[in-house]
Amino acid sequence: MTALDAVGSALFFFYGMFRKKGRQKRVLVLRLDQIGDMIQAMPFFGSLRKKYPGYEVHVLCVRDCYFLLDNNPDIDAVHALSSSWFYKERAFDRKEFAGKIRQLRALEFEAAYDLRGDIRNIWTLVRAGAGKIYGYGSGGGST
């Protein structure tokens, strides 16, 4: 696993060297699980705002958590999905997900944070074109 991490770090380092300069700087936070998990994540956004002054802070969450973030002064934009792989009672909507990834990719995020460590979340941030990805190592992909 260490070798895989080293290869991934090298690829992202070189990818970051070729990103466009002089655009609005943005950071993305991904939290696609339950409301309680989002409540526990709330203090993170204030710390993130302090770490990235002048950046736009965006969050990708499930629609159930939108109301928690909508009027938060530390968050500039909330992007919501109606389904997630963490909600077994709802069918995951691949079309909605692909459309959201296209929207996020167009915003060209400088950095992104995964607050769970799930391999699906990490892959989502890769597909969204985040320059640098921070968070936990993979938690395994099971729920």
Side-chain angles (χ1 to χ4, degrees):
M1 194 59 142
T2 303
L4 185 60
D5 286 342
V7 170
S9 295
L11 289 172
F12 280 109
F13 172 78
F14 289 114
Y15 172 72
M17 290 176 45
F18 297 104
R19 291 182 58 86
K20 298 175 189 172
K21 305 294 183 217
R23 57 182 161 64
Q24 172 62 47
K25 294 183 177 182
R26 296 179 181 96
V27 63
L28 174 65
V29 178
L30 176 66
R31 191 75 202 204
L32 291 175
D33 34 13
Q34 311 288 333
I35 291 174
D37 297 304
M38 185 61 79
I39 290 170
Q40 289 180 332
M42 296 300 281
F44 177 78
F45 300 111
S47 298
L48 189 68
R49 176 65 78 192
K50 289 177 188 166
K51 179 176 173 70
Y52 292 97
Y55 278 61
E56 285 182 3
V57 175
H58 292 243
V59 179
L60 176 60
C61 66
V62 290
R63 193 156 314 283
D64 301 41
C65 295
Y66 184 88
F67 77 97
L68 292 170
L69 308 173
D70 187 34
N71 294 312
N72 187 321
D74 295 316
I75 299 170
D76 297 299
V78 181
H79 308 272
L81 290 168
S82 13
S83 68
S84 164
W85 38 80
F86 297 113
Y87 284 83
K88 294 180 179 168
E89 64 275 4
R90 296 183 207 157
F92 181 69
D93 187 342
R94 292 181 192 275
K95 187 174 179 181
E96 176 196 29
F97 183 76
K100 191 63 69 178
I101 290 296
R102 279 191 301 278
Q103 290 173 356
L104 294 174
R105 185 176 270 293
L107 292 169
E108 298 181 327
F109 291 98
E110 190 89 12
Y113 286 81
D114 167 36
L115 300 183
R116 184 178 175 102
D118 188 277
I119 191 71
R120 296 167 292 193
N121 288 354
I122 296 166
W123 180 240
T124 298
L125 295 175
V126 168
R127 290 187 59 206
K132 295 180 182 176
I133 298 173
Y134 301 97
Y136 301 100
S138 174
S142 64
T143 56

